[in-house]
Amino acid sequence: MDDARLRPTRLTEPVIVGIVYVAAMFVNILDTTIVNVALPTLATQFKVPVASSEWVVTGYLLSLAVWIPASGWIGDKFGTKRIFLVALALFTTASVLCGLATSLPELIVFRIVQGVGGGMLTPIGLAMLYRAFPPERRAAASRILIIPTALAPAMGPVIGGLLIDQLSWRWVFFVNVPIGIAAFVFGALKLREYREPTAYRFDFPGFLLAAAGLGLLMYALSEGPADGWLSPAVVTTAGIGLVSMAGLVFVELRSSRPMLQLRLFTNRLFARTNLTSMFATAAFTGTLFIVPIMLQRARGASAFESGLTTFPEAIGVLSVSQIAARLYPRLGPSRLMTAGMVAMSAVLFVFSWVDASTSEWSIRGLVYLLGASYSFMIIALQASSFAGISHGDTARASALYNTQRQVASALGVAILASGLAAFLPHGQATSAQTFLAYQRVFMIAAFVAALGAVVSRFVPDKDAAATMVPRVRRGARAAHSTTAQAVE
């Protein structure tokens, strides 16, 4: 027997980074959906209105918005391994403190701290992954990226409902701890350090403008649907946020060493894939926000039943991602993204026919197809977006990409939630009138996805050629290697 078969498989750097990334991103993304289920319970526990308990989510999102833009510079300056582990430790420790909180203000403060860790985890983890995988292997890497992206949002409502019903709301936060500790220990032992030698001093004006602009805009987007877009608080925060963002663009483009390297958007592949991502993320995230509301409020499902109905989305993403990754080298990013966005728009259009008589299995089928169509888009996006980005700019490109995703998610939820608030009839309404409001909202989502399909047609495939190299089978690689050695 060949002795090589008896040797244990060596953990390569891509495998190590992939394991740590999936574990850390899973708890980070899971946290954003699992807490939503607990809000009514938190309001009862702390004897406050549900609107007050929503600050547990809002505080976390505002903290993410502040720290995501700065993460690229922090990782480059102090080392991606070190900062990733610090962020993971901060997130995990804050999870423990959230579970031990004795009042709502305490919980909100601990959630803000948790957001500091979560805000740095995703961009730095993504930069580590893209540095570990060469361009020709990024379609395969996308199948790693998609695991937490698909599973965590779908599992959040299911796990959250079970933990609250069977244990306590505190376990909504404690569930992060064992995974966080395991990922930290493994990462501390196995990850390699990387520090960008060209990192410069901190861009404090850029940080302040980004924190103010993104933080205030995220607040306005989260509060606008409930308070009204013309309410003084929303108008004021949105106005100051937009002015701050305009100032950020002015300052960063004039700076020779900006915190947010906006000049990366002159790379047409990076710019157009990010624009496609904005439409796709807004439509997808907004829909995943609306569907559970429809199931619970219009169809009378429990949070747990709603979670089970929306879970096929994850199955759709994971199952079709294997096909999409194999098609990517042949079709390229533009056609694969366009196919996914057109399919997503079509599925959302069919969603606009759902009413009280639609069976749960039909809804589950539509949710599965939604995940399947999104999979084509996200695999192509993740494989191609960074193809024209240099090794040294990867962390800052990751910060820009994740900032865009965060804003797009909030924008998608705000648009569809506002549409629902406008279309739902006031006072007593028939079932048909209620479902008509949801149907109109799904039409808006379908339109947003269709816009993404138009934009994706302009993604330049030739700029992503390095990522479209077909994978060579192991046997063929081994034969090629043996032949080369023989020639030498």
Side-chain angles (χ1 to χ4, degrees), residues 23-277:
M25 290 309 102
F26 181 81
V27 293
N28 190 17
I29 298 172
L30 178 73
D31 193 78
T32 62
T33 56
I34 197 172
V35 175
N36 290 335
V37 181
L39 292 181
T41 303
L42 292 173
T44 302
Q45 172 71 28
F46 295 121
K47 298 180 176 60
V48 297
V50 174
S52 298
S53 70
E54 290 176 357
W55 271 98
V56 173
V57 173
T58 304
Y60 181 79
L61 293 176
L62 294 180
S63 186
L64 288 181
V66 169
W67 288 98
I68 286 176
S71 61
W73 181 89
I74 295 172
D76 281 349
K77 182 68 175 179
F78 300 104
T80 52
K81 173 183 176 178
R82 178 182 299 174
I83 298 303
F84 185 84
L85 292 177
V86 167
L88 184 57
L90 192 61
F91 180 88
T92 306
T93 303
S95 296
V96 175
L97 295 174
C98 286
L100 297 174
T102 58
S103 68
L104 185 63
E106 268 187 25
L107 181 56
I108 293 171
V109 169
F110 295 146
R111 283 285 284 170
I112 292 172
V113 175
Q114 194 181 33
V116 176
M120 292 189 291
L121 269 181
T122 305
I124 293 175
L126 189 63
M128 290 167 57
L129 202 70
Y130 277 124
R131 281 171 174 155
F133 282 85
E136 67 273 12
R137 294 188 62 194
R138 286 180 183 169
S142 296
R143 287 185 282 180
I144 297 173
L145 284 167
I146 213 164
I147 293 173
T149 304
L151 278 180
M155 291 181 68
V158 179
I159 295 175
L162 279 175
L163 291 175
I164 291 168
D165 290 344
Q166 302 299 322
L167 296 171
S168 162
W169 65 266
R170 299 182 186 278
W171 283 93
V172 166
F173 301 103
F174 290 152
V175 71
N176 299 329
V177 178
I179 302 175
I181 292 174
F184 180 90
V185 172
F186 183 80
L189 294 174
K190 297 293 185 180
L191 283 175
R192 291 174 56 189
E193 185 61 279
Y194 176 87
R195 185 178 296 174
E196 179 56 42
T198 60
Y200 36 80
R201 67 182 183 181
F202 189 59
D203 175 18
F204 196 66
F207 174 75
L208 288 180
L209 286 168
L214 288 170
L216 291 171
L217 283 177
M218 291 294 290
Y219 174 83
L221 289 172
S222 63
E223 298 299 311
D227 295 348
W229 292 102
L230 296 179
S231 67
V234 172
V235 170
T236 302
T237 53
I240 298 174
L242 288 172
V243 171
S244 299
M245 291 302 294
L248 175 69
V249 172
F250 179 79
V251 168
E252 298 299 83
L253 289 179
R254 290 173 62 88
S255 173
S256 59
R257 295 178 173 181
M259 180 189 71
L260 279 177
Q261 185 57 274
L262 299 179
R263 292 186 183 89
L264 291 175
F265 285 122
T266 59
N267 179 305
R268 64 178 184 171
L269 177 63
F270 186 69
R272 293 176 190 178
T273 52
N274 269 269
L275 187 58
T276 302
S277 172

